[in-house]
Amino acid sequence: MELRKDPITQSWVILGQREPLDDAPEECALEPAKIEKQRSILTWPAEGAWQVRVLPHPQPLYHIEGDPGRLAEGMYDKMVALGAHEVVVETPLHDKRMSQFSDEEIERVLWVWASRIADLKKDARFKHITVSKNQGGLAGEEWAHAHSQVTATIFVPRRIKYELSSAHEWFKDKERCIFCDTVRQEEKQGKRIVDVQGDYYALCPYASRVPYELWLLHRRHNHLFEQPRPGSNRRQLAALLGRVLRRLEKVAPAFHLVVHTSPNTKNKKGELAGYWKTLADDYHWHIEILPIVEKRSKSYSIKEVYFNGEMPEQAAASLRALDPNS
Protein backbone atom coordinates (compact mmCIF):
# COMPACT_ATOMS: atom_id res chain seq x y z
CA MET A 1 0.00 0.00 0.00
CA GLU A 2 1.30 3.46 -0.86
CA LEU A 3 0.05 7.03 -1.05
CA ARG A 4 0.48 9.01 -4.27
CA LYS A 5 -0.27 12.72 -4.61
CA ASP A 6 -2.11 14.13 -7.60
CA PRO A 7 -0.12 17.32 -8.35
CA ILE A 8 -3.11 18.97 -10.04
CA THR A 9 -5.87 18.41 -7.45
CA GLN A 10 -3.51 18.01 -4.45
CA SER A 11 -5.38 14.83 -3.47
CA TRP A 12 -3.63 11.85 -1.90
CA VAL A 13 -4.71 8.49 -3.32
CA ILE A 14 -4.17 5.08 -1.69
CA LEU A 15 -2.92 2.45 -4.12
CA GLY A 16 -2.23 -1.23 -3.62
CA GLN A 17 -3.87 -4.45 -2.51
CA ARG A 18 -5.48 -4.76 0.92
CA GLU A 19 -4.43 -7.65 3.12
CA PRO A 20 -6.49 -10.73 2.23
CA LEU A 21 -8.95 -12.10 4.78
CA ASP A 22 -10.09 -15.66 5.24
CA ASP A 23 -13.11 -16.83 3.29
CA ALA A 24 -16.29 -14.95 4.15
CA PRO A 25 -17.44 -16.16 7.57
CA GLU A 26 -20.92 -17.55 8.02
CA GLU A 27 -21.42 -15.29 11.04
CA CYS A 28 -20.96 -11.52 11.27
CA ALA A 29 -17.31 -10.60 11.91
CA LEU A 30 -18.43 -8.10 14.56
CA GLU A 31 -20.47 -10.49 16.68
CA PRO A 32 -19.46 -10.27 20.38
CA ALA A 33 -18.25 -13.88 20.50
CA LYS A 34 -15.79 -13.13 17.71
CA ILE A 35 -14.50 -9.71 18.68
CA GLU A 36 -14.08 -10.57 22.35
CA LYS A 37 -11.21 -12.81 21.25
CA GLN A 38 -9.48 -9.89 19.52
CA ARG A 39 -7.24 -7.18 20.89
CA SER A 40 -9.30 -4.16 21.94
CA ILE A 41 -8.05 -0.60 21.57
CA LEU A 42 -10.85 0.75 23.79
CA THR A 43 -13.71 -0.95 25.59
CA TRP A 44 -16.61 0.89 27.23
CA PRO A 45 -17.31 0.25 29.99
CA ALA A 46 -13.86 -0.99 30.93
CA GLU A 47 -15.30 -3.72 33.14
CA GLY A 48 -18.34 -5.91 32.79
CA ALA A 49 -20.39 -6.38 29.64
CA TRP A 50 -19.13 -4.04 26.94
CA GLN A 51 -21.40 -1.65 25.07
CA VAL A 52 -18.94 -0.11 22.59
CA ARG A 53 -15.65 -1.62 21.49
CA VAL A 54 -12.84 -0.26 19.27
CA LEU A 55 -10.68 -2.72 17.33
CA PRO A 56 -7.89 -2.50 14.76
CA HIS A 57 -9.39 -2.80 11.27
CA PRO A 58 -8.79 -6.35 9.93
CA GLN A 59 -7.88 -4.93 6.48
CA PRO A 60 -6.36 -1.55 7.32
CA LEU A 61 -5.76 1.06 4.67
CA TYR A 62 -3.14 2.61 6.94
CA HIS A 63 -0.50 1.03 9.18
CA ILE A 64 0.71 2.69 12.35
CA GLU A 65 4.25 1.31 12.30
CA GLY A 66 7.13 2.79 10.35
CA ASP A 67 8.13 6.05 8.71
CA PRO A 68 6.33 7.95 5.92
CA GLY A 69 9.34 7.52 3.65
CA ARG A 70 8.27 10.39 1.41
CA LEU A 71 9.94 10.13 -1.98
CA ALA A 72 10.00 12.04 -5.24
CA GLU A 73 9.39 10.13 -8.45
CA GLY A 74 10.28 12.75 -11.02
CA MET A 75 7.64 15.45 -10.60
CA TYR A 76 5.47 13.21 -8.40
CA ASP A 77 5.34 12.61 -4.64
CA LYS A 78 4.60 9.35 -2.90
CA MET A 79 4.90 7.89 0.58
CA VAL A 80 4.03 4.89 2.70
CA ALA A 81 0.39 4.60 3.81
CA LEU A 82 1.26 5.41 7.41
CA GLY A 83 -1.57 6.07 9.83
CA ALA A 84 -4.21 4.27 11.87
CA HIS A 85 -7.42 2.49 10.89
CA GLU A 86 -9.88 1.41 13.55
CA VAL A 87 -13.39 -0.04 13.74
CA VAL A 88 -15.87 1.22 16.34
CA VAL A 89 -18.37 -1.56 17.10
CA GLU A 90 -21.24 0.59 18.32
CA THR A 91 -23.35 -2.10 20.00
CA PRO A 92 -23.11 -5.80 20.81
CA LEU A 93 -26.53 -6.30 19.18
CA HIS A 94 -26.30 -7.32 15.52
CA ASP A 95 -29.73 -6.17 14.33
CA LYS A 96 -29.81 -2.72 15.95
CA ARG A 97 -29.07 0.37 13.83
CA MET A 98 -27.89 3.67 15.31
CA SER A 99 -31.29 5.17 14.52
CA GLN A 100 -32.75 2.63 16.97
CA PHE A 101 -30.30 3.47 19.76
CA SER A 102 -31.45 5.33 22.84
CA ASP A 103 -30.08 8.86 23.34
CA GLU A 104 -27.74 7.44 25.99
CA GLU A 105 -26.42 4.80 23.59
CA ILE A 106 -25.73 7.38 20.86
CA GLU A 107 -24.04 9.67 23.39
CA ARG A 108 -21.81 6.74 24.34
CA VAL A 109 -20.72 6.33 20.70
CA LEU A 110 -20.08 10.09 20.41
CA TRP A 111 -17.90 9.89 23.51
CA VAL A 112 -15.90 7.00 22.02
CA TRP A 113 -15.42 8.93 18.76
CA ALA A 114 -14.13 11.94 20.68
CA SER A 115 -11.87 9.77 22.83
CA ARG A 116 -10.24 8.12 19.80
CA ILE A 117 -9.72 11.48 18.04
CA ALA A 118 -8.08 12.95 21.14
CA ASP A 119 -5.87 9.90 21.67
CA LEU A 120 -4.69 9.68 18.05
CA LYS A 121 -3.91 13.40 18.00
CA LYS A 122 -1.24 12.75 20.63
CA ASP A 123 0.85 11.29 17.80
CA ALA A 124 2.42 14.28 16.04
CA ARG A 125 2.84 12.22 12.85
CA PHE A 126 -0.91 12.24 12.29
CA LYS A 127 -2.19 15.45 10.71
CA HIS A 128 -5.87 14.61 10.61
CA ILE A 129 -8.30 12.20 12.28
CA THR A 130 -11.52 11.27 10.47
CA VAL A 131 -14.55 9.52 11.93
CA SER A 132 -16.90 8.13 9.30
CA LYS A 133 -19.94 5.88 9.18
CA ASN A 134 -21.34 4.17 6.09
CA GLN A 135 -24.73 2.55 6.54
CA GLY A 136 -26.39 0.46 3.86
CA GLY A 137 -25.13 -1.49 0.90
CA LEU A 138 -25.27 1.53 -1.42
CA ALA A 139 -22.96 3.38 0.96
CA GLY A 140 -20.41 0.56 0.81
CA GLU A 141 -20.75 -0.56 4.41
CA GLU A 142 -18.30 -3.37 5.22
CA TRP A 143 -20.50 -5.15 7.75
CA ALA A 144 -24.22 -5.01 8.50
CA HIS A 145 -23.50 -4.77 12.23
CA ALA A 146 -23.70 -1.14 13.44
CA HIS A 147 -20.19 0.27 13.27
CA SER A 148 -18.15 3.31 12.29
CA GLN A 149 -14.50 3.79 11.42
CA VAL A 150 -11.68 6.03 12.59
CA THR A 151 -8.70 6.83 10.37
CA ALA A 152 -5.60 8.85 11.20
CA THR A 153 -3.61 10.16 8.24
CA ILE A 154 -0.29 11.94 7.76
CA PHE A 155 -2.00 14.34 5.36
CA VAL A 156 -5.11 16.52 5.56
CA PRO A 157 -7.94 15.37 3.23
CA ARG A 158 -8.64 17.74 0.36
CA ARG A 159 -12.18 18.69 1.44
CA ILE A 160 -10.92 19.62 4.91
CA LYS A 161 -8.19 21.73 3.30
CA TYR A 162 -10.85 23.55 1.28
CA GLU A 163 -12.91 24.16 4.42
CA LEU A 164 -9.86 25.43 6.32
CA SER A 165 -8.91 27.77 3.50
CA SER A 166 -12.41 29.22 3.16
CA ALA A 167 -12.84 29.59 6.91
CA HIS A 168 -9.43 31.25 7.19
CA GLU A 169 -10.19 33.76 4.42
CA TRP A 170 -13.64 34.53 5.88
CA PHE A 171 -12.16 35.18 9.32
CA LYS A 172 -9.34 37.29 7.90
CA ASP A 173 -11.91 39.48 6.12
CA LYS A 174 -14.71 39.63 8.71
CA GLU A 175 -13.16 38.42 11.99
CA ARG A 176 -16.04 35.98 12.35
CA CYS A 177 -16.45 32.23 11.94
CA ILE A 178 -18.12 31.29 8.66
CA PHE A 179 -19.89 28.34 10.30
CA CYS A 180 -21.29 30.52 13.10
CA ASP A 181 -22.48 32.98 10.46
CA THR A 182 -24.14 30.09 8.62
CA VAL A 183 -26.08 28.99 11.70
CA ARG A 184 -27.20 32.57 12.39
CA GLN A 185 -28.31 33.02 8.77
CA GLU A 186 -30.26 29.76 8.83
CA GLU A 187 -31.84 30.72 12.16
CA LYS A 188 -33.12 33.95 10.65
CA GLN A 189 -34.55 32.34 7.52
CA GLY A 190 -35.70 29.07 9.08
CA LYS A 191 -36.40 27.47 5.71
CA ARG A 192 -33.58 24.92 5.82
CA ILE A 193 -33.61 24.10 9.56
CA VAL A 194 -34.83 20.51 10.02
CA ASP A 195 -34.58 20.09 13.80
CA VAL A 196 -33.10 21.72 16.90
CA GLN A 197 -32.10 20.29 20.27
CA GLY A 198 -30.69 22.77 22.78
CA ASP A 199 -27.78 24.54 21.05
CA TYR A 200 -27.47 21.88 18.33
CA TYR A 201 -28.96 22.44 14.87
CA ALA A 202 -29.68 20.08 11.98
CA LEU A 203 -30.03 21.83 8.63
CA CYS A 204 -29.99 21.21 4.89
CA PRO A 205 -27.07 23.28 3.50
CA TYR A 206 -27.92 26.14 1.15
CA ALA A 207 -25.95 24.44 -1.67
CA SER A 208 -26.76 20.83 -0.77
CA ARG A 209 -24.76 18.41 -2.90
CA VAL A 210 -27.27 15.56 -2.74
CA PRO A 211 -30.97 15.22 -1.83
CA TYR A 212 -31.59 15.51 1.93
CA GLU A 213 -27.96 16.34 2.76
CA LEU A 214 -27.78 17.34 6.43
CA TRP A 215 -25.28 19.11 8.63
CA LEU A 216 -25.31 19.04 12.43
CA LEU A 217 -23.65 22.02 14.10
CA HIS A 218 -23.33 23.47 17.57
CA ARG A 219 -24.66 27.02 17.72
CA ARG A 220 -21.77 28.09 19.94
CA HIS A 221 -18.29 28.21 18.46
CA ASN A 222 -15.88 25.32 18.97
CA HIS A 223 -13.23 23.97 16.58
CA LEU A 224 -12.68 20.65 18.37
CA PHE A 225 -15.30 17.90 18.35
CA GLU A 226 -13.19 15.96 20.85
CA GLN A 227 -13.26 18.80 23.40
CA PRO A 228 -16.85 19.92 24.05
CA ARG A 229 -17.29 23.48 25.30
CA PRO A 230 -17.88 23.88 29.03
CA GLY A 231 -21.57 23.50 29.66
CA SER A 232 -22.19 21.59 26.42
CA ASN A 233 -24.69 18.76 26.66
CA ARG A 234 -23.72 15.96 24.28
CA ARG A 235 -26.91 14.12 25.17
CA GLN A 236 -28.69 16.85 23.19
CA LEU A 237 -26.50 16.16 20.16
CA ALA A 238 -27.21 12.44 20.57
CA ALA A 239 -30.96 13.04 20.68
CA LEU A 240 -30.80 15.26 17.59
CA LEU A 241 -28.67 12.76 15.66
CA GLY A 242 -31.05 9.94 16.50
CA ARG A 243 -34.09 11.89 15.28
CA VAL A 244 -32.28 12.97 12.10
CA LEU A 245 -31.31 9.39 11.26
CA ARG A 246 -34.86 8.14 11.84
CA ARG A 247 -36.11 10.82 9.44
CA LEU A 248 -33.51 10.00 6.81
CA GLU A 249 -34.29 6.29 6.88
CA LYS A 250 -37.78 7.14 5.66
CA VAL A 251 -36.40 8.71 2.46
CA ALA A 252 -33.03 7.05 1.85
CA PRO A 253 -31.82 3.43 2.14
CA ALA A 254 -28.21 4.39 2.91
CA PHE A 255 -25.97 7.27 3.95
CA HIS A 256 -22.42 8.49 4.50
CA LEU A 257 -21.70 10.31 7.79
CA VAL A 258 -18.43 12.14 8.49
CA VAL A 259 -17.29 14.11 11.55
CA HIS A 260 -15.33 17.22 10.53
CA THR A 261 -13.01 18.44 13.27
CA SER A 262 -9.83 20.52 13.29
CA PRO A 263 -6.56 18.96 12.13
CA ASN A 264 -3.85 18.01 14.58
CA THR A 265 -1.79 21.05 15.55
CA LYS A 266 1.07 19.18 17.22
CA ASN A 267 3.09 19.33 14.01
CA LYS A 268 3.57 23.01 13.13
CA LYS A 269 5.31 22.28 9.84
CA GLY A 270 4.07 21.28 6.42
CA GLU A 271 1.19 22.17 4.15
CA LEU A 272 -1.03 23.84 6.75
CA ALA A 273 1.57 25.66 8.82
CA GLY A 274 0.02 29.03 8.00
CA TYR A 275 -3.41 28.14 9.38
CA TRP A 276 -2.61 27.55 13.02
CA LYS A 277 -2.70 31.19 14.16
CA THR A 278 -6.46 31.58 13.76
CA LEU A 279 -7.62 27.95 13.60
CA ALA A 280 -9.34 28.05 17.00
CA ASP A 281 -11.30 31.12 15.88
CA ASP A 282 -12.12 30.37 12.26
CA TYR A 283 -12.87 26.61 12.12
CA HIS A 284 -15.98 24.95 13.58
CA TRP A 285 -16.54 21.21 13.98
CA HIS A 286 -19.65 19.75 12.40
CA ILE A 287 -21.14 16.46 11.21
CA GLU A 288 -22.05 16.00 7.54
CA ILE A 289 -24.53 13.33 6.41
CA LEU A 290 -24.95 12.53 2.71
CA PRO A 291 -27.91 10.21 2.10
CA ILE A 292 -28.00 7.99 -0.98
CA VAL A 293 -31.47 8.22 -2.48
CA GLU A 294 -31.01 6.70 -5.94
CA LYS A 295 -29.05 3.67 -7.04
CA ARG A 296 -27.42 5.55 -9.85
CA SER A 297 -25.99 7.96 -7.28
CA LYS A 298 -24.08 5.20 -5.51
CA SER A 299 -20.90 7.24 -5.15
CA TYR A 300 -20.41 10.96 -4.83
CA SER A 301 -16.67 10.73 -4.35
CA ILE A 302 -15.61 11.37 -7.94
CA LYS A 303 -17.91 14.31 -8.56
CA GLU A 304 -16.56 17.85 -8.75
CA VAL A 305 -19.83 19.59 -9.69
CA TYR A 306 -22.88 18.09 -8.00
CA PHE A 307 -26.38 17.89 -9.46
CA ASN A 308 -29.13 17.77 -6.86
CA GLY A 309 -32.73 17.52 -8.03
CA GLU A 310 -34.13 18.30 -4.56
CA MET A 311 -34.08 21.94 -3.40
CA PRO A 312 -32.71 22.08 0.19
CA GLU A 313 -35.66 24.20 1.32
CA GLN A 314 -38.10 21.52 0.13
CA ALA A 315 -35.90 18.74 1.53
CA ALA A 316 -35.85 20.44 4.94
CA ALA A 317 -39.64 20.88 4.85
CA SER A 318 -40.13 17.22 3.93
CA LEU A 319 -37.84 16.03 6.70
CA ARG A 320 -39.49 18.29 9.27
CA ALA A 321 -42.86 16.78 8.34
CA LEU A 322 -41.65 13.27 9.09
CA ASP A 323 -42.25 11.91 12.57
CA PRO A 324 -38.90 10.56 13.84
CA ASN A 325 -40.66 8.50 16.49
CA SER A 326 -43.14 6.62 14.28
Side-chain angles (χ1 to χ4, degrees), residues 153-194:
T153 55
I154 53 179
F155 61 90
V156 177
R158 185 176 62 169
R159 176 159 176 88
I160 300 297
K161 287 175 68 175
Y162 287 165
E163 287 185 357
L164 290 166
S165 178
S166 296
H168 182 68
E169 290 301 314
W170 188 274
F171 186 83
K172 186 169 66 174
D173 182 44
K174 303 175 184 290
E175 295 188 351
R176 300 194 308 268
C177 165
I178 190 171
F179 297 93
C180 290
D181 279 1
T182 297
V183 174
R184 284 190 285 266
Q185 171 83 6
E186 296 301 334
E187 275 184 304
K188 288 178 182 177
Q189 293 189 318
K191 295 185 294 183
R192 289 174 291 275
I193 298 288
V194 173

Side-chain angles (χ1 to χ4, degrees), residues 261-288:
T261 189
S262 289
N264 192 1
T265 58
K266 280 190 174 293
N267 192 331
K268 305 294 184 183
K269 300 178 182 179
E271 57 191 347
L272 293 173
Y275 289 102
W276 303 146
K277 292 181 181 178
T278 63
L279 181 66
D281 296 313
D282 63 39
Y283 196 67
H284 194 126
W285 74 261
H286 58 286
I287 297 174
E288 298 185 9

Side-chain angles (χ1 to χ4, degrees), residues 96-114:
K96 193 173 185 180
R97 302 185 306 278
M98 180 178 275
S99 62
Q100 299 170 318
F101 290 7
S102 67
D103 295 348
E104 180 183 4
E105 289 170 325
I106 296 177
E107 183 184 20
R108 191 180 297 149
V109 174
L110 296 176
W111 180 87
V112 169
W113 288 352

Side-chain angles (χ1 to χ4, degrees), residues 259-323:
V259 177
H260 289 228
T261 189
S262 289
N264 192 1
T265 58
K266 280 190 174 293
N267 192 331
K268 305 294 184 183
K269 300 178 182 179
E271 57 191 347
L272 293 173
Y275 289 102
W276 303 146
K277 292 181 181 178
T278 63
L279 181 66
D281 296 313
D282 63 39
Y283 196 67
H284 194 126
W285 74 261
H286 58 286
I287 297 174
E288 298 185 9
I289 307 176
L290 277 71
I292 302 175
V293 178
E294 302 175 18
K295 290 185 177 180
R296 64 175 179 270
S297 301
K298 183 175 180 179
S299 173
Y300 308 123
S301 60
I302 64 172
K303 295 183 180 178
E304 296 299 334
V305 178
Y306 291 83
F307 168 73
N308 178 2
E310 185 82 20
M311 294 296 288
E313 295 80 7
Q314 182 56 46
S318 298
L319 290 171
R320 283 195 299 270
L322 295 173
D323 183 356

